[in-house]
């Protein structure tokens, strides 16, 4: 039986294009003038839609325009756990996924670092990002528990989810001034996930200096 998912219809494609146009217009305006200085009417005008259409697609308002892909990111994290190759440890699957997702996001939009800086300097965006981060951690912890045949409330699963999600930001922060930041971020991710997968003893043993 053919299980191929049919391509999206014209209505779905138009809806997706409108959402993308709104998100792109919002990011461009926010980066140019700051989040608080831009109103929803300006964003709607820049995307050539009505304010009503903007709120139809983004009921939470302009803050949601910058986090439109979060549901897809969460689904991809869960899939990385459930669809990993047989025998592959969960930390390794998450390390591979996060490294690949970072590279894909940067290639798709060179404004990624500017977006992150915008979030960090804007309290409302930081708070929204924090809420989304906690939601992703909960969903990821549930996937880890299910894949490991552990209780849904096992604290080790939640800890692994939290640390895995935090690792991407830690890797970028720790290498922000490096000459080859991307390569150093990969090495930093490898180091962080070696700790998650093997523990401190194994990580310290591979260090050239004292533990």
């Amino acid at each position: 039986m053919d299980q191929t998912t049919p391509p999206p219809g014209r209505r779905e494609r138009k809806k997706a294009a409108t959402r993308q146009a709104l998100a792109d217009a919002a990011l461009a305006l926010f980066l140019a003038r700051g989040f608080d200085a831009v109103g929803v009417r300006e964003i709607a005008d820049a995307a050539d839609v009505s304010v009503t259409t903007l709120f139809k697609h983004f009921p939470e308002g302009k803050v949601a325009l910058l986090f439109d892909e979060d549901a897809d990111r969460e689904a991809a994290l869960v899939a990385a756990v459930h669809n990993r190759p047989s025998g592959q440890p969960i930390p390794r699957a998450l390390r591979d996924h996060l490294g690949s997702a970072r590279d894909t996001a940067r290639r798709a939009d060179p404004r990624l670092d500017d977006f992150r800086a915008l979030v960090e300097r804007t309290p409302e965006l930081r708070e929204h990002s924090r809420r989304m981060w906690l939601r992703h951690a909960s969903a990821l912890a549930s996937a880890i528990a299910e894949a490991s045949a552990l209780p849904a409330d096992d604290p080790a699963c939640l800890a692994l989810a939290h640390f895995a999600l935090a690792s991407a930001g830690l890797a970028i922060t720790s290498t922000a001034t490096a000459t080859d930041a991307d390569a150093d971020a990969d090495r930093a991710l490898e180091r962080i996930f070696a700790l998650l997968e093997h523990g401190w003893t194994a990580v310290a043993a591979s260090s050239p200096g004292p533990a």
Side-chain angles (χ1 to χ4, degrees):
M1 183 177 178
D2 185 4
Q3 297 295 324
T4 302
T5 302
R10 182 175 180 275
R11 183 176 181 181
E12 287 73 22
R13 292 196 304 272
K14 185 176 180 180
K15 181 178 178 180
T18 299
R19 290 181 68 89
Q20 190 61 56
L22 283 163
D24 287 343
L27 180 57
L29 288 167
F30 294 155
L31 290 178
R33 293 166 46 201
F35 178 79
D36 294 327
V38 177
V40 292
R41 182 172 295 280
E42 294 176 86
I43 298 169
D45 288 344
D48 197 25
V49 300
S50 68
V51 172
T52 300
T53 297
L54 184 152
F55 279 107
K56 180 180 179 180
H57 287 279
F58 297 96
E60 293 181 64
K62 66 179 186 175
V63 68
L65 285 155
L66 290 180
F67 299 90
D68 190 32
E69 297 179 357
D70 270 327
D72 292 338
R73 292 191 183 101
E74 184 174 298
L77 283 164
V78 171
V81 173
H82 286 313
N83 300 338
R84 71 192 191 283
S86 177
Q88 184 182 56
I90 289 175
R92 169 54 49 181
L94 290 172
R95 183 261 175 270
D96 290 348
H97 168 72
L98 289 169
S100 175
R102 183 204 66 211
D103 293 341
T104 299
R106 183 160 283 148
R107 286 194 301 270
D109 194 336
R111 301 172 297 177
L112 180 62
D113 291 336
D114 292 335
F115 161 73
R116 287 174 173 151
L118 174 68
V119 171
E120 283 303 309
R121 67 175 180 262
T122 309
E124 186 176 353
L125 295 180
R126 282 204 313 271
E127 176 58 22
H128 187 86
S129 179
R130 185 190 69 83
R131 291 198 303 269
M132 295 303 300
W133 189 90
L134 290 173
R135 195 189 78 179
H136 295 341
S138 178
L140 181 56
S142 296
I144 292 169
E146 182 179 352
S148 306
L150 292 170
D153 60 350
D154 190 305
C157 297
L158 186 57
L160 176 55
H162 273 264
F163 292 141
L165 288 172
S167 67
L170 288 171
I172 292 171
T173 300
S174 67
T175 60
T177 60
T179 302
D180 190 351
D182 284 343
D184 283 0
D186 280 336
R187 287 190 286 271
L189 267 184
E190 197 67 35
R191 190 82 173 147
I192 292 167
F193 275 92
L195 171 63
L196 294 180
E197 186 172 350
H198 303 296
W200 178 251
T201 301
V203 170
S206 67
S207 173

